[in-house]
Amino acid sequence: MPGQRHVRPGPRAESDLRAGRFEPRCPACGAGLAPGLVTEDAPTDPRNVYATTKLAQEHLASSWARATGGRAVSLGYHNVYGPGMPRDTPYAGVAALFTSSLARGEAPRVFEDGGQRRDFVHVRDVAAANAVALETLARGDADAGPAGLTAYNVGSGDPRTVGDMAGALAAACGGPAPVVTGEYRLGDVRHITADSARLRHELGWRPAVPFAAGMAELATGQAVSLATGP
């Protein structure tokens, strides 16, 4: 929007969702908004139980670090996927639902219009992020940072839509094309994409599994060769 102001829209109204108006609007002028990356320092605004409990865990870790003079790291995983992901459960994320449908020969059902943006990050890249964070803390030197809690986003840096994911999975396994249903869930945030620059710059982490290769592996169960990520 004009001036590139940062705007934090509130929860979407159910009347808008019912009418198929999925994109949030500027609360001041009603103009359309361009989604951006969320940093670790962005104000918190949990809108469902899952998000609230994650924030509470971070607060507890921060309180411990202050009380003891210790160091803690909070890794904010974005949409993790990869080998071993359980199927037929909503708790493993939308990738599990899509792969379960395709395994049954059914089309993945995509909510809203499929344009929701997420940061899908491969589980091997998440494991690598854990390793570098633990190694840094274990060194116990100046590189580990000051006492207290340091938060890091863990994302691929390559935002894609939920529709992109459904299409990539269906194509990789030769299954039926996704069906966009227009359904919605109250409390879902339209766009959630991470800025992982802090993890890259401070700890030297880089994602290694590109989106297309990771989706092919998830769909077929066949391991893929790794390449340097973005």
Side-chain angles (χ1 to χ4, degrees):
M1 56 188 307
Q4 297 296 308
R5 292 192 301 115
H6 292 284
V7 176
R8 294 178 53 81
R12 295 177 293 173
E14 187 170 11
S15 58
D16 285 336
L17 299 176
R18 283 199 305 265
R21 295 188 294 268
F22 301 119
E23 290 290 345
R25 313 290 291 183
C26 175
C29 67
L33 300 174
L37 300 179
V38 178
T39 69
E40 294 88 348
D41 298 323
T44 54
D45 183 18
R47 297 181 185 178
N48 53 48
V49 172
Y50 177 82
T52 301
T53 58
K54 292 297 183 183
L55 181 59
Q57 292 168 16
E58 192 168 291
H59 286 168
L60 289 169
S62 180
S63 296
W64 170 85
R66 287 196 303 272
T68 64
R71 293 185 176 92
V73 166
S74 170
L75 297 179
Y77 307 150
H78 279 251
N79 290 65
V80 183
Y81 72 94
M85 172 177 284
R87 294 184 175 180
D88 299 307
T89 168
Y91 300 105
V94 68
L97 299 178
F98 291 164
T99 53
S100 296
S101 296
L102 289 164
R104 296 191 300 267
E106 301 171 359
R109 295 177 60 82
V110 180
F111 277 22
E112 301 188 13
D113 60 359
Q116 312 94 299
R117 284 163 49 95
R118 298 291 186 268
D119 190 322
F120 301 106
V121 58
H122 196 277
V123 66
R124 286 198 292 274
D125 289 330
V126 171
N130 279 267
V132 297
L134 289 171
E135 289 166 359
T136 301
L137 288 174
R139 285 199 300 269
D141 55 21
D143 290 340
L149 176 73
T150 304
Y152 294 102
N153 286 329
V154 183
S156 69
D158 182 25
R160 301 294 182 115
T161 68
V162 173
D164 289 339
M165 168 181 260
L169 290 171
C173 69
V179 174
V180 176
T181 69
E183 297 172 87
Y184 59 86
R185 296 189 310 178
L186 284 177
D188 276 0
V189 178
R190 177 64 171 176
H191 304 297
I192 308 174
T193 52
D195 184 343
S196 301
R198 177 181 292 174
L199 182 59
R200 296 172 186 237
H201 295 158
E202 294 186 8
L203 303 188
W205 172 86
R206 294 290 185 278
V209 182
F211 176 80
M215 290 298 138
E217 179 187 46
L218 181 62
T220 64
Q222 301 297 314
V224 297
S225 59
L226 299 186
T228 302

